[in-house]
Amino acid sequence: MKFIKRKTPKKKIGLALGGGAVLGAAHIGVLKALEEYDIPIRYISGTSIGAFISIFYAFGKRWKEIEEIAKELNWLDVSGLSLSKLGLLSNKKLGERIKETIGDVTFDQADIPLAMIATDITSGEKIVFKEGDVITAVMASTCIPGIFIPVEMDDRLLVDGGLVENVPVSPLKEMGADFIIGVDLNAEYSRKKPENIVDILLRSFVFTLMSATESQKEKAHILIQPDLSAFNMVDIGQADALIETGYDAARTVLRKVF
């Protein structure tokens, strides 16, 4: 692979990966561009699918390995039908897949300091995970309300962190980052009619969090916003095109700064 050697700022760089269901494959393209530009990531945070992608990078996987992991996944792999009145599906299989890949790990074992966000669906409180069991934290952060059963932890019911901070900049500031790269997957959205109930629920969720994300995104020093309007939020068969779109968007932004 040809790497582009650029002088990076002498700052502690943090990377915030936002939510967006299957659109999260675009994050892999961003990671590819960051590696090519030789940009050192000192801290990483994720919300929802961004949490899922972030753990692999934090635990030493490079973009090509993460691409292989993502392409092996589909909705049937990471979910199962639920009998619960709190959700249609369970994402326990997602946790099992993570364990198969990186083991039953804790935050302090990560190569890159890591944080992820979930929401207490009872109180609306933002829950920031920076210690303890990684798999449970990812399951909570990716638990889209109405689709997945909430994750129970310490007498809380936890769901997707996108409700409170979809582009998770604030944990990076608290961890010590002084230059933050944010990745927003929902800047442009598909205007095609939803094709199934999951697509409808996901679209409704995205519309809910879009306005709340605006003020959060402004706190990033640079923001990567790939145009993903041509894609839907459920078809993993789009992975190659999503990765390429994320890569192109990242290069466009990074070449101006680095």
Side-chain angles (χ1 to χ4, degrees):
M1 178 186 297
K2 182 181 180 181
F3 285 82
I4 302 169
K5 292 294 182 180
R6 298 289 178 94
K7 183 179 180 181
T8 57
K10 294 181 178 179
K11 292 182 178 291
K12 294 175 286 187
I13 300 174
L15 176 64
L17 302 181
V22 167
L23 301 180
H27 285 319
I28 301 170
V30 173
L31 295 177
K32 177 182 178 181
L34 289 169
E35 289 185 26
E36 288 190 2
Y37 275 77
D38 197 28
I39 298 172
I41 301 301
R42 290 280 300 276
Y43 307 96
I44 189 167
S45 63
T47 294
S48 197
I49 190 63
F52 179 75
I53 298 295
S54 71
I55 60 166
F56 297 113
Y57 204 69
F59 280 86
K61 302 293 184 183
R62 300 302 87 181
W63 79 267
K64 192 64 180 176
E65 295 173 282
I66 301 172
E67 177 187 38
E68 293 172 1
I69 294 167
K71 286 184 176 180
E72 291 175 356
L73 295 176
N74 59 51
W75 281 103
L76 294 178
D77 284 334
V78 301
S79 61
L81 286 175
S82 162
L83 297 178
S84 171
K85 61 184 179 181
L86 300 179
L88 299 174
L89 305 171
S90 166
N91 68 353
K92 286 184 178 180
K93 289 184 179 181
L94 177 67
E96 293 170 3
R97 180 57 61 89
I98 295 169
K99 187 174 181 179
E100 291 171 2
T101 306
I102 61 173
D104 195 1
V105 293
T106 53
F107 280 82
D108 60 349
Q109 294 175 292
D111 298 330
I112 301 172
L114 167 69
M116 58 190 72
I117 290 177
T119 305
D120 183 332
I121 197 60
T122 301
S123 66
E125 182 183 354
K126 177 171 69 177
I127 306 298
V128 180
F129 290 100
K130 289 189 279 191
E131 58 184 24
D133 176 55
V134 167
I135 292 175
T136 302
V138 177
M139 288 173 60
S141 186
T142 58
C143 189
I144 300 170
I147 296 180
F148 292 116
I149 305 170
V151 172
E152 293 189 51
M153 177 184 283
D154 299 329
D155 294 323
R156 296 179 183 268
L157 282 178
L158 303 181
V159 298
D160 197 295
L163 289 170
V164 287
E165 191 167 357
N166 195 48
V167 180
V169 171
S170 65
L172 298 174
K173 290 179 175 290
E174 295 166 5
M175 294 163 78
D178 50 23
F179 189 90
I180 295 174
I181 301 171
V183 186
D184 175 21
L185 302 180
N186 299 303
E188 300 288 343
Y189 60 90
S190 172
R191 297 182 184 274
K192 297 177 182 178
K193 289 183 179 180
E195 298 177 356
N196 53 58
I197 186 173
V198 174
D199 200 2
I200 290 173
L201 290 170
L202 286 171
R203 194 83 61 89
S204 301
F205 180 60
V206 167
F207 292 153
T208 299
L209 60 84
M210 280 179 70
S211 59
T213 304
E214 289 303 313
S215 61
Q216 301 160 7
K217 294 186 297 188
E218 293 174 359
K219 298 175 184 177
H221 294 88
I222 62 174
L223 191 62
I224 298 169
Q225 297 179 298
D227 182 353
L228 305 178
S229 58
F231 304 95
N232 66 57
M233 302 183 74
V234 296
D235 183 6
I236 195 62
Q238 307 165 111
D240 284 330
L242 283 165
I243 291 169
E244 191 64 25
T245 303
Y247 174 68
D248 290 341
R251 280 178 56 88
T252 297
V253 173
L254 295 175
R255 70 164 61 103
K256 298 176 181 178
V257 181
F258 298 97

